[in-house]
Amino acid sequence: MKSAPNPPRWADRMLNVICPPDRLEEVQGDLHEEFAYQIERIGERRARWRYIWDVLGFVKSPPVARRHGAYSTTNLMNPTMLQNYLKIAFRNLVKNKTFSGVNILGLALGMACSLLIMLWVQDELSIDAFHANKQQLYRIYMREYFSGKVQGVIWTPGPLADELKKSIPEIQLSTPYEWVSDQTFSVGSKVNKQATNAASADFFKMFSYKLLQGTAEAALKDRNSLAISRSMAESFFGSPEAAIGKTIRFDNRKDLLITAVFENIAKNSTLTFDCLRNWDEFVEDNGWAKGWDSTDPLTFFMIRPDADPAKVEAKIKHLLDKFNRDGNKPVHTELAMQPFHEYYLNSNFKNAQIDGGRIEYVRLFTMVAVFILLIACINFMNLATARSGKRAKEVGVRKVVGAMRSLLIGQFVGEAMLLTVFSIFLAILFVALLLPSFNSLTDKQIGLPVNDLSFWGILAGLTLLTGLLAGSYPAFFLSALNPIRVLKGAMKVDTKSTWLRQGLVVFQFALSIILIVGMIIIYRQVEYVQTKNLGYDRENLVYFPLEGDLVKNYDVLKEQISQISSIKHVSHMTASPASNGSGTEGITWTGSDPNGKVRFTPVGVGYDFVKTMNLSVADGRDFSKAYPTDSTGFLINEAALKVIGYKNPIGKIINWGNGKGAIIGVLKDFHFQSLHTSIRPLIAYLSTDSRRQGGNVIVRIEGGKTKEALAKLEALCKKMNPKFPFTYSFTDQEYARQYQSEQVVSKLSNYFAFLAIFISCLGLFGLATFTAEQRTKEIGVRKVLGASVSSIVGLLSQDFLKLVAIAILVASPIAWWAMNQWLQGFAYKIDIEWWMFVVAGILSVAIALLTVSFQSIKAALMNPVKSLRAE
Amino acid sequence: MKRASLGEFEEVVLLTVAVLEVQGQAYGVAITHEIIEETGRSVRLNQIHAALQRLEDKGMVKSEMGEPTAERGGRRKRLFTVTAYGRRTLQEIQDVRASLWTRLVSPFKLSTSL
């Protein structure tokens, strides 16, 4: 015989709880019979819902015991008792407005902060997670061994992607991925610059970018194909449908065929571009990308679904050994791989192993969120235990009447929950108000995910957690009171709870002080970065791309620009002044280590480069037209000289690949990359007619004449290069852009520190109010006996100040350690100085004093006659 | 009509009990189904249970547990029967309504007068 389906067990259990025992049989019997009937009628699935619905009916109005007073349900579900609990809770809330306000505001701020951070963390974790094949996608990085050291490099040789696919069967697809650069496209008379990149034909098969037109197969298949974004299609052709199959002129040199249109790339992707060129077509223009000695593009690949990543990693490790990476001997470079969706958050190297990155900020902020929430919870605990005297009688009565301890605990935790529920609504309101400014600060597009069930789950979880955290200690504390002692009369404040309270206050302030110190140090570091002397002058330095007709007519252009009165110097370089990430390893010299490789940063420069950048020459001179031999000469920086090790470098020969040239000058070190990295060896060659590729024209403008100079530059470029729009960049702005994440962290740390100290002070305010209340009589007596107001304020404040002082002592070493860790991420950094701790200490003491004294003064000014009237 | 008599819903439940008790079928589920069928209202089990409880408190019905049956997982039904007081109450309500109906000057016609 087939057993009949049973209704949901949990609903039955619920019934057991709410139903008096002598009614259970009939009620449950009826329910089960109804269930069986409904299965016949509407099927099992709907019958289950129906059953739950019916049970809920009984929950709403529970059956009454048949014999009155026969059974009293002693559980929290008892509606009468619940009503009583709620009533008491509400009365307490309304009666103590200060305490409720302090708690609700504190908890709401804490939770709002946690929510914001949670949303931010969720957003950070979602980046690059949308690719359908993300489990199979990897990125390559290299470990380069040279002169006993090892360094991690993310740039890889151009031909590597193809080689991976050829030589390793587990690798299904692969693509190089160049750096995004602004290129000029035109259709008829419409001209625009677009963020352009290059990738292989596999790109759209690997990554889930939605194609509106064209297929992933054909998107970049042919050499002259181009995949463009929806917005680019709209701006040139009006719509994606109209764009497909059309040609578009690239760089005024080639016609490319549009073979795919993809949806505009969302913020949750690290790879962003307006259009993608085919890799082979890119190599046509950039011959160096053919060579194994180049290291420029990133390389991504996708393994077969059944392949074992560990085996693939073992196979690729020595892949580069068979290639001559500089013409005469193998370079010792190992390859390693990293899951693609992890690289956004984990991009830093330590000893050539992936180690941290943005993930550290994610962790840091998560910790801060927990801390701030904890501070708010501590407020609740402290105030609840401090006020335990007020509730003691109630607890006594309840116990005498026969409440079990578990019930009392439930009651007080429930009260905390109630408060937390109020707070969470307030917190959601705060978050909704703050999100726009938070988004603009962090450059994100986070919305309140109200349609997302998991968000409400998180809210409920947060409420529960906070309620438990805040409510559990007071609940245990209060429920443990001895009813006989309480009801007899005087409740002594026992020292144990005082100790604990003081400990918690110290903890709160220690956290706040750590955050304040952090705020100071982060602010100083960011300021340092902004104002550091970089070795060149980044003010009034404008650069614009050398492109189109300007390349061949550069000399004329330079001549013309020199005649503009508001412009001091002009030159050009193959990179941009503030960030130059290219590298070469084909450089050797007399006595260079045959097995060791040094990555030099190459840069092609024009005449007057040193003057224009305002660099200092340590030895030798800048390139000069007076010496024709300079065309094969090199400028190096001090870092390069250190590596090369020549005593008298000027005139010595350096080999680069198969060519060679003499050193004509040594430049003082300057920062051509961000301050996160130390200055690399730099080698500059003269980029003249025959060797000139694109790059940037750099222009030194006279201070205060920027507008005028730019207008003249624009007119000139329009005349000489009509096919291209004139775009320019300010070096100082580009430089500042490299520290965007530090800027954000700096601002956020200010807010968090402020919030932490604010919530701590809220709690302190509550406690001060409480002690002032408690000691009203004492203050009265003291005043009658002639104590001055100031001495009383001192008396009341000193207890708290002691705690803050201890907190400073506790927090300082921790803050020092933590900030030291953070500063390790910079090659050039400030020193942590003792005054920072003093400032943080003074600040916190002052704020605490302000908070406490407000209440103390109020208490000290009370009329003793009034406060002593009772006796 | 005297006070503290029956609510409209209670009256329907009580009538249903009176109808079903003959077959010994006057218990929660059966009463619920009967009322749904007769009146077309969407009634929930708990409402019936509460109404029966109130009727019993008022002394309109009495109840006892029936025999255990397999279909309810071996649980017994509580079978209700209408008491003499209950019957009289129903009768009184009926009488009051009948006398009111007879005093209608022109009984409603179920036609449209044009």
Side-chain angles (χ1 to χ4, degrees):
Chain A
M1 189 177 144
K2 184 171 78 78
S3 71
N6 275 327
R9 291 249 313 276
W10 59 268
D12 262 354
R13 272 194 226 110
M14 201 148 83
L15 210 58
N16 291 344
V17 171
I18 55 156
C19 212
D22 65 342
R23 295 287 310 269
L24 193 62
E25 187 177 15
E26 58 193 85
V27 167
Q28 210 155 31
D30 273 2
L31 278 163
H32 278 240
E33 185 179 337
E34 174 72 11
F35 179 67
Y37 162 81
Q38 291 292 2
I39 285 182
E40 296 298 315
R41 205 171 67 88
I42 53 179
E44 189 182 338
R45 202 172 57 84
R46 285 178 56 198
R48 293 181 84 82
W49 283 111
R50 181 64 194 244
Y51 183 85
I52 292 165
W53 172 240
D54 280 336
V55 169
L56 284 177
F58 281 105
V59 174
K60 204 177 69 182
S61 52
V64 193
R66 303 200 68 79
R67 283 183 291 134
H68 286 297
Y71 306 94
S72 67
T73 47
T74 50
N75 55 38
L76 270 173
M77 298 300 293
N78 182 329
T80 335
M81 210 57 203
L82 262 180
Q83 261 176 4
N84 171 280
Y85 289 143
L86 271 175
K87 206 181 278 174
I88 296 279
F90 267 112
R91 283 179 189 168
N92 271 313
L93 272 182
V94 176
K95 204 166 84 187
N96 307 302
K97 287 189 181 61
T98 320
F99 291 113
S100 318
V102 163
N103 280 327
I104 291 179
L105 183 63
L107 283 172
L109 282 173
M111 286 203 272
C113 173
S114 305
L115 269 182
L116 271 181
I117 291 175
M118 262 183 210
L119 289 171
W120 181 82
V121 167
Q122 221 173 12
D123 192 77
E124 283 285 286
L125 294 177
S126 76
I127 288 197
D128 282 343
F130 65 96
H131 296 293
N133 307 321
K134 69 175 181 184
Q135 298 307 333
Q136 296 149 257
L137 290 172
Y138 289 88
R139 129 178 127 149
I140 290 268
Y141 64 96
M142 311 201 296
R143 294 197 192 102
E144 299 189 324
Y145 291 88
F146 59 98
S147 46
K149 281 188 298 195
V150 61
Q151 66 175 9
V153 181
I154 56 169
W155 310 288
T156 51
L160 177 63
D162 265 352
E163 183 59 36
L164 282 172
K165 217 161 48 161
K166 266 199 294 239
S167 59
I168 293 168
E170 286 98 331
I171 293 181
Q172 204 176 337
L173 303 167
S174 67
T175 179
Y177 181 80
E178 257 305 326
W179 301 93
V180 175
S181 60
D182 278 346
Q183 301 290 349
T184 306
F185 288 87
S186 54
V187 173
S189 62
K190 201 173 276 167
V191 181
N192 232 330
K193 294 232 176 198
Q194 301 286 354
T196 309
N197 209 322
S200 81
D202 289 345
F203 186 87
F204 286 101
K205 288 184 258 176
M206 294 166 63
F207 298 104
S208 317
Y209 293 109
K210 189 172 164 223
L211 291 173
L212 304 169
Q213 294 288 328
T215 61
E217 280 295 327
L220 291 170
K221 210 165 154 200
D222 302 323
R223 179 166 293 225
N224 66 340
S225 55
L226 183 78
I228 65 174
S229 71
R230 173 203 280 268
S231 64
M232 184 165 165
E234 281 166 357
S235 73
F236 278 110
F237 303 96
S239 76
E241 295 76 32
I244 190 89
K246 298 268 174 31
T247 54
I248 188 165
R249 191 134 183 93
F250 164 68
D251 204 23
N252 205 21
R253 291 181 299 119
K254 302 181 179 181
D255 283 322
L256 297 177
L257 183 68
I258 292 166
T259 48
V261 181
F262 52 86
E263 183 55 81
N264 292 336
I265 293 176
K267 272 238 192 232
N268 61 354
S269 163
T270 48
L271 312 181
T272 53
F273 41 85
D274 293 334
C275 60
L276 273 186
R277 301 159 63 187
N278 171 285
W279 177 254
D280 299 331
E281 185 266 323
F282 173 84
V283 173
E284 266 176 30
D285 291 351
N286 302 275
W288 50 261
K290 282 200 201 84
W292 280 97
D293 61 337
S294 68
T295 49
D296 201 56
L298 299 169
T299 300
F300 305 129
F301 65 87
M302 185 166 124
I303 58 173
R304 295 183 190 286
D306 54 352
D308 171 10
K311 282 204 182 109
V312 177
E313 176 132 51
K315 282 188 185 172
I316 61 172
K317 190 171 178 182
H318 295 295
L319 193 72
L320 284 182
D321 289 2
K322 40 177 190 224
F323 295 101
N324 280 354
R325 289 203 45 212
D326 62 347
N328 50 21
K329 60 179 177 310
V331 180
H332 188 43
T333 307
E334 288 174 359
L335 293 183
M337 61 200 233
Q338 174 187 23
F340 174 78
H341 62 272
E342 286 177 14
Y343 102 87
Y344 169 71
L345 289 174
N346 303 275
S347 53
N348 291 0
F349 287 108
K350 196 169 178 181
N351 299 328
Q353 301 285 359
I354 298 279
D355 178 62
R358 277 187 81 94
I359 189 83
E360 286 161 16
Y361 285 131
V362 171
R363 289 194 194 116
L364 182 81
F365 283 153
T366 310
M367 258 170 62
V368 168
V370 170
F371 281 167
I372 287 182
L373 196 58
L374 204 57
I375 291 178
C377 288
I378 286 175
N379 279 352
F380 182 89
M381 289 188 209
N382 275 346
L383 293 176
T385 51
R387 284 166 54 228
S388 61
K390 304 219 166 184
R391 303 286 301 267
K393 274 229 164 42
E394 180 197 337
V395 173
V397 170
R398 281 182 192 275
K399 276 194 161 182
V400 168
V401 169
M404 289 183 289
R405 184 160 176 207
S406 60
L407 280 184
L408 283 170
I409 290 176
Q411 180 200 343
F412 286 115
V413 170
E415 276 185 29
M417 289 280 178
L418 186 72
L419 205 85
T420 317
V421 169
F422 286 137
S423 307
I424 195 103
F425 284 122
L426 197 56
I428 293 170
L429 184 75
F430 284 158
V431 169
L433 291 175
L434 286 172
L435 258 182
S437 42
F438 182 76
N439 278 340
S440 67
L441 175 69
T442 52
D443 192 29
K444 293 222 181 255
Q445 298 162 324
I446 305 171
L448 263 182
V450 278
N451 308 328
D452 192 353
L453 265 180
S454 69
F455 170 70
W456 295 104
I458 285 178
L459 279 186
L462 187 66
T463 314
L464 263 171
L465 179 86
T466 313
L468 274 176
L469 208 63
S472 54
Y473 173 71
F476 281 107
F477 176 84
L478 278 165
S479 60
L481 292 172
N482 180 344
I484 299 172
R485 278 223 333 252
V486 169
L487 293 175
K488 255 187 183 162
M491 248 287 293
K492 276 212 196 67
V493 182
D494 64 342
T495 48
K496 208 167 65 175
S497 72
T498 316
W499 267 108
L500 188 96
R501 263 205 298 282
Q502 292 182 331
L504 287 175
V505 170
V506 168
F507 181 71
Q508 275 185 317
F509 270 83
L511 286 181
S512 308
I513 290 161
I514 290 172
L515 287 173
I516 292 177
V517 172
M519 170 181 92
I520 294 172
I521 288 174
I522 291 172
Y523 175 79
R524 298 268 310 167
Q525 173 68 22
V526 171
E527 198 185 31
Y528 167 82
V529 163
Q530 301 294 353
T531 55
K532 184 175 189 322
N533 176 8
L534 299 177
Y536 69 93
D537 185 359
R538 66 175 179 272
E539 307 288 318
N540 303 320
L541 190 62
V542 172
Y543 59 96
F544 60 92
L546 184 60
E547 61 193 347
D549 297 343
L550 298 179
V551 181
K552 57 180 188 289
N553 300 327
Y554 170 72
D555 293 32
V556 182
L557 174 77
K558 182 168 172 6
E559 181 56 39
Q560 294 275 340
I561 294 178
S562 307
Q563 287 173 8
I564 299 174
S565 61
S566 49
I567 290 179
K568 286 198 217 158
H569 305 291
V570 53
S571 178
H572 92 274
M573 63 192 292
T574 51
S576 65
S579 62
N580 177 0
S582 54
T584 176
E585 292 168 353
I587 292 181
T588 53
W589 55 93
T590 326
S592 62
D593 179 357
N595 305 318
K597 274 288 140 196
V598 181
R599 250 178 92 80
F600 279 77
T601 301
V603 58
V605 303
Y607 289 114
D608 296 336
F609 173 70
V610 171
K611 249 198 293 194
T612 312
M613 290 281 286
N614 204 358
L615 301 170
S616 337
V617 180
D619 196 355
R621 54 178 176 77
D622 187 6
F623 292 116
S624 157
K625 285 190 172 163
Y627 301 86
T629 51
D630 277 5
S631 62
T632 58
F634 296 123
L635 289 178
I636 59 173
N637 66 351
E638 285 170 320
L641 180 62
K642 213 175 283 166
V643 173
I644 294 169
Y646 287 151
K647 283 281 170 294
N648 300 311
I650 304 302
K652 294 269 169 51
I653 301 296
I654 290 184
N655 312 305
W656 186 348
N658 303 325
K660 57 167 77 170
I663 300 174
I664 57 167
V666 178
L667 302 171
K668 277 231 167 80
D669 276 346
F670 65 102
H671 290 275
F672 50 86
Q673 282 174 303
S674 86
L675 296 186
H676 289 284
T677 49
S678 41
I679 297 179
R680 290 173 177 275
L682 177 88
I683 181 158
Y685 57 92
L686 191 59
S687 138
T688 48
D689 294 348
S690 57
R691 296 198 299 185
R692 184 179 308 129
Q693 311 130 333
N696 290 300
V697 179
I698 49 176
V699 174
R700 168 76 56 197
I701 295 175
E702 238 173 86
K705 296 197 178 161
T706 313
K707 234 188 187 127
E708 171 191 343
L710 281 174
K712 286 191 170 151
L713 277 178
E714 180 160 18
L716 184 66
C717 288
K718 273 265 173 291
K719 198 175 71 192
M720 291 184 61
N721 192 21
K723 288 274 188 207
F724 288 79
F726 176 69
T727 52
Y728 57 89
S729 319
F730 289 99
T731 307
D732 46 2
Q733 284 175 9
E734 290 303 308
Y735 173 80
R737 189 171 295 176
Q738 299 173 335
Y739 305 100
Q740 230 167 353
S741 67
E742 278 77 16
Q743 291 273 17
V744 171
V745 170
S746 170
K747 286 210 183 90
L748 282 180
S749 71
N750 292 356
Y751 293 134
F752 291 154
F754 172 76
L755 204 59
I757 196 87
F758 181 76
I759 299 177
S760 302
C761 282
L762 265 182
L764 207 54
F765 180 78
L767 278 180
T769 313
F770 167 76
T771 43
E773 254 176 45
Q774 274 223 314
R775 299 168 80 173
T776 320
K777 284 229 162 39
E778 180 199 341
I779 293 164
V781 172
R782 282 175 189 274
K783 276 188 84 166
V784 168
L785 294 176
S788 68
V789 171
S790 59
S791 72
I792 286 174
V793 172
L795 174 93
L796 287 174
S797 308
Q798 77 188 161
D799 290 353
F800 292 112
L801 291 186
K802 256 188 229 151
L803 299 181
V804 176
I806 295 171
I808 293 171
L809 291 180
V810 173
S812 298
I814 301 172
W816 184 87
W817 176 84
M819 289 327 293
N820 213 15
Q821 290 290 317
W822 182 76
L823 285 173
Q824 293 309 314
F826 291 86
Y828 303 89
K829 52 182 180 271
I830 51 164
D831 295 325
I832 302 179
E833 290 162 51
W834 58 269
W835 64 260
M836 298 173 181
F837 296 92
V838 175
V839 167
I842 290 174
L843 204 64
S844 51
V845 167
I847 294 172
L849 196 60
L850 257 173
T851 313
V852 174
S853 61
F854 175 74
Q855 282 295 342
S856 315
I857 291 169
K858 214 167 93 179
L861 291 176
M862 286 248 306
N863 185 352
V865 176
K866 266 190 194 146
S867 54
L868 295 175
R869 183 165 285 168
E871 288 161 39
Chain B
M1 252 167 107
K2 292 210 302 287
R3 280 283 319 126
S5 55
L6 289 180
E8 187 267 350
F9 182 63
E10 282 173 351
E11 187 192 335
V12 174
V13 174
L14 187 57
L15 263 170
T16 316
V17 173
V19 170
L20 291 175
E21 69 180 357
V22 186
Q23 308 134 38
Q25 284 292 311
Y27 68 101
V29 176
I31 294 170
T32 314
H33 288 178
E34 190 66 31
I35 290 180
I36 290 173
E37 219 149 285
E38 285 290 336
T39 64
R41 303 181 192 187
S42 55
V43 194
R44 278 165 87 183
L45 263 176
N46 63 302
Q47 295 166 312
I48 298 294
H49 273 262
L52 287 167
Q53 183 70 29
R54 286 200 299 274
L55 287 169
E56 193 161 9
D57 288 346
K58 289 178 179 174
M60 305 271 179
V61 295
K62 59 182 191 291
S63 68
E64 55 192 12
M65 299 303 274
E67 290 303 307
T69 49
E71 60 180 356
R72 300 158 62 94
R75 293 182 189 83
R76 291 173 300 166
K77 299 168 182 171
R78 177 171 291 279
L79 296 169
F80 289 84
T81 43
V82 183
T83 58
Y85 173 50
R87 271 195 219 103
R88 214 183 63 221
T89 313
L90 281 175
Q91 195 58 56
E92 270 172 16
I93 292 170
Q94 195 61 10
D95 291 348
V96 169
R97 293 203 175 147
S99 81
L100 281 169
W101 274 96
T102 52
R103 287 172 54 201
L104 268 180
V105 179
S106 57
F108 312 121
K109 288 196 190 70
L110 289 173
S111 65
T112 50
S113 51
L114 291 166

